[in-house]
């Protein structure tokens, strides 16, 4: 396991980050703790959560993921771990979340941080992220910006000023963005520089062989602002393992949750998946190892977020750290990408 600096922070994160959004929905607390124990034993020091987890989210399960982690975390050497979580933004209609008030403003930030600290049973959060912007942006598979959807939003400078106070209070160490755009990265970075406010050190966006949109304008933004991408969905909800090519396996996410992951139900996705699986077979690689090693190979990715519902899946995913893709393999992946560019943006 390698460890990389996260943006301009002093956090050294494992190249694999354990994602936890299934804890409390598809995984019991015992299974969650088994995964956490195994991951740490393999060198993972980075754990990512969110106040709204597990997913799909509901009033009945809201907050369970952090609660499960907290029951485990209280028995660990806290200083050796990097814990990340997120505040939910407006626009998703989660009425049970903070009584429906979800603006990224002072009251909501303070309550969300305090609630997460309580559930996680810790005194501080290493990386606190805005799960999706306070303002309107196309989200989760939407690709067209609609000016008619633009409405009121909390000014970015105001958001950063509140985070500055929370950092000063010792409750969080660093801040990051998630599901953000190039414009958003630039605005947060410029406001921090001009006003002497906390700098964004990371961005958590989807990135995988089916969705390389980040390669363009976002890659330019994080290069100049020295921000690291925490790549989520590196296996495209499991599609890149090939398990859905011949139908939907029982207990798999797309089988359990209808209409989940709409970005992966678009035309040409299956065609591209089959092509990537073929490359893996020809080079005698596990399809999961191929997909994860590809994401790890990107210069802008200090850590790749993996998730698993079984210990066997987790073991296979973690074993991908031993896989380094050759120039020939990377060139073949680029050929498929050129033929089917970003079928699941």
């Amino acid at each position: 396991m390698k460890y990389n600096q996260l943006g301009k922070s002093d956090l050294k994160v494992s190249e694999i980050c354990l994602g936890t959004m299934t804890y409390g929905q598809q995984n019991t607390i015992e299974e969650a703790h088994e995964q956490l124990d195994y991951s740490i034993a393999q060198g993972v020091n980075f754990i990512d959560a969110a106040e709204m987890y597990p997913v799909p989210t509901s009033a009945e399960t809201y907050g369970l993921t952090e609660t499960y982690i907290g029951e485990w975390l209280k028995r660990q050497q806290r200083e050796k771990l990097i814990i990340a979580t997120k505040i939910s933004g407006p626009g998703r209609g989660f009425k049970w979340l903070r009584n429906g008030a979800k603006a990224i403003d002072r009251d909501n930030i303070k309550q969300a941080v305090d609630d997460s600290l309580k559930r996680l049973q810790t005194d501080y959060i290493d990386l606190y992220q805005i799960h999706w912007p306070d303002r309107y942006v196309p989200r989760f598979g939407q690709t067209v910006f609609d000016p008619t959807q633009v409405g009121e939003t909390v000014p970015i400078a105001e958001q950063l000023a509140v985070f500055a106070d929370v950092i000063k209070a010792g409750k969080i160490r660093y801040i990051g963005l998630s599901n953000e755009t190039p414009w958003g990265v630039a605005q947060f970075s410029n406001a921090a520089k001009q006003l002497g406010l906390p700098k964004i050190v990371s961005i958590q966006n989807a990135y995988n062989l089916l969705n390389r949109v980040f390669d363009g304008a976002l890659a330019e933004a994080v290069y100049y602002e020295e921000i690291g991408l925490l790549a989520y969905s590196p296996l495209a909800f499991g599609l890149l393992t090939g398990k859905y090519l011949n139908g939907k396996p029982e207990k798999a996410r797309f089988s359990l949750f209808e209409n989940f992951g709409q970005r992966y139900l678009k035309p040409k996705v299956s065609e591209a998946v089959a092509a990537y699986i073929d490359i893996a077979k020809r080079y005698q690689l596990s399809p999961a190892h191929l997909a994860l090693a590809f994401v790890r190979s990107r210069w802008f990715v200090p850590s790749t977020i993996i998730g698993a519902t079984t210990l066997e899946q987790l073991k296979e995913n973690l074993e991908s750290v031993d896989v380094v893709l050759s120039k020939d393999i990377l060139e073949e992946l680029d050929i498929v990408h050129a033929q089917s560019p970003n079928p699941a943006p």
Side-chain angles (χ1 to χ4, degrees):
M1 187 70 67
K2 296 179 181 177
Y3 301 88
N4 302 311
Q5 183 178 359
L6 183 58
K8 291 291 286 183
S9 75
D10 63 358
L11 301 177
K12 296 282 273 189
V13 296
S14 49
E15 59 185 326
I16 296 291
C17 172
L18 181 62
T20 61
M21 75 176 190
T22 59
Y23 297 178
Q25 177 66 259
Q26 292 172 267
N27 289 110
T28 65
I29 190 169
E30 292 79 14
E31 291 169 338
H33 291 183
E34 184 180 36
Q35 287 193 17
L36 288 159
D37 286 338
Y38 184 81
S39 298
I40 299 308
Q42 304 308 307
V44 171
N45 73 345
F46 193 15
I47 300 163
D48 181 67
E51 66 166 345
M52 64 165 275
Y53 288 173
V55 173
T57 189
S58 70
E60 293 73 28
T61 61
Y62 161 62
L64 279 182
T65 297
E66 289 184 329
T67 299
Y68 286 10
I69 294 171
E71 286 298 312
W72 174 85
L73 188 59
K74 69 182 182 181
R75 301 190 299 271
Q76 310 304 313
Q77 292 180 279
R78 177 65 181 89
E79 69 280 2
K80 292 187 176 182
L81 299 172
I82 296 171
I83 305 298
T85 194
K86 313 178 194 76
I87 179 173
S88 298
R92 298 295 300 280
F94 301 151
K95 296 181 180 178
W96 57 85
L97 194 155
R98 280 176 271 118
N99 298 316
K102 297 179 289 293
I104 308 299
D105 58 17
R106 183 168 296 276
D107 289 343
N108 275 285
I109 291 172
K110 287 191 171 183
Q111 182 183 343
V113 169
D114 287 344
D115 289 350
S116 286
L117 288 172
K118 184 177 180 180
R119 287 190 291 263
L120 290 167
Q121 300 193 51
T122 185
D123 295 329
Y124 65 95
I125 295 163
D126 297 283
L127 176 66
Y128 197 67
Q129 304 153 99
I130 301 173
H131 207 153
W132 53 87
D134 182 273
R135 67 188 192 281
Y136 158 75
V137 294
R139 287 192 303 265
F140 308 121
Q142 299 173 347
T143 57
V144 177
F145 180 84
D146 180 3
T148 66
Q149 299 298 311
V150 174
E152 293 185 8
T153 183
V154 179
I156 285 173
E158 183 178 328
Q159 296 177 47
L160 287 175
V162 180
F163 285 121
D165 291 341
V166 181
I167 290 173
K168 186 177 181 180
K171 294 182 178 182
I172 61 176
R173 297 177 64 192
Y174 296 100
I175 54 175
L177 304 172
S178 182
N179 300 304
E180 189 51 275
T181 68
W183 185 88
V185 170
Q187 292 297 309
F188 272 95
S189 298
N190 288 338
K193 292 173 188 174
Q194 294 172 6
L195 302 174
L197 294 170
K199 175 177 170 53
I200 298 300
V201 303
S202 65
I203 178 173
Q204 185 175 146
N205 278 32
Y207 187 83
N208 54 56
L209 286 167
L210 302 175
N211 179 4
R212 295 171 57 174
V213 173
F214 199 95
D215 287 343
L218 272 164
E220 178 189 21
V222 300
Y223 173 78
Y224 285 110
E225 300 301 338
E226 299 180 272
I227 293 170
L229 169 64
L230 304 177
Y232 76 76
S233 203
L235 295 177
F237 278 23
L239 286 172
L240 288 168
T241 68
K243 66 182 180 181
Y244 291 107
L245 285 179
N246 298 309
K248 294 181 180 180
E250 289 186 17
K251 297 184 179 181
R253 194 169 299 156
F254 283 116
S255 303
L256 293 172
F257 311 115
E258 189 177 355
N259 298 322
F260 197 52
Q262 290 295 306
R263 66 172 17 132
Y264 300 116
L265 303 178
K266 296 183 177 183
K268 296 191 176 182
V269 167
S270 294
E271 176 185 325
V273 168
Y276 290 125
I277 299 298
D278 180 65
I279 293 174
K281 290 179 178 178
R282 284 192 285 105
Y283 284 94
Q284 298 182 317
L285 288 171
S286 153
H289 287 179
L290 175 75
L292 291 169
F294 167 76
V295 175
R296 282 180 32 251
S297 74
R298 306 294 90 181
W299 59 265
F300 44 73
V301 178
S303 191
T304 302
I305 302 173
I306 63 168
T309 53
T310 69
L311 193 59
E312 291 70 28
Q313 290 172 338
L314 179 62
K315 288 179 178 179
E316 180 180 10
N317 290 347
L318 286 171
E319 288 168 357
S320 70
V321 298
D322 296 323
V323 178
V324 177
L325 302 183
S326 68
K327 180 181 178 182
D328 289 342
I329 296 175
L330 291 171
E331 288 177 349
E332 289 201 38
L333 295 177
D334 283 343
I335 290 173
V336 174
H337 176 62
Q339 295 169 341
S340 300
N342 301 317

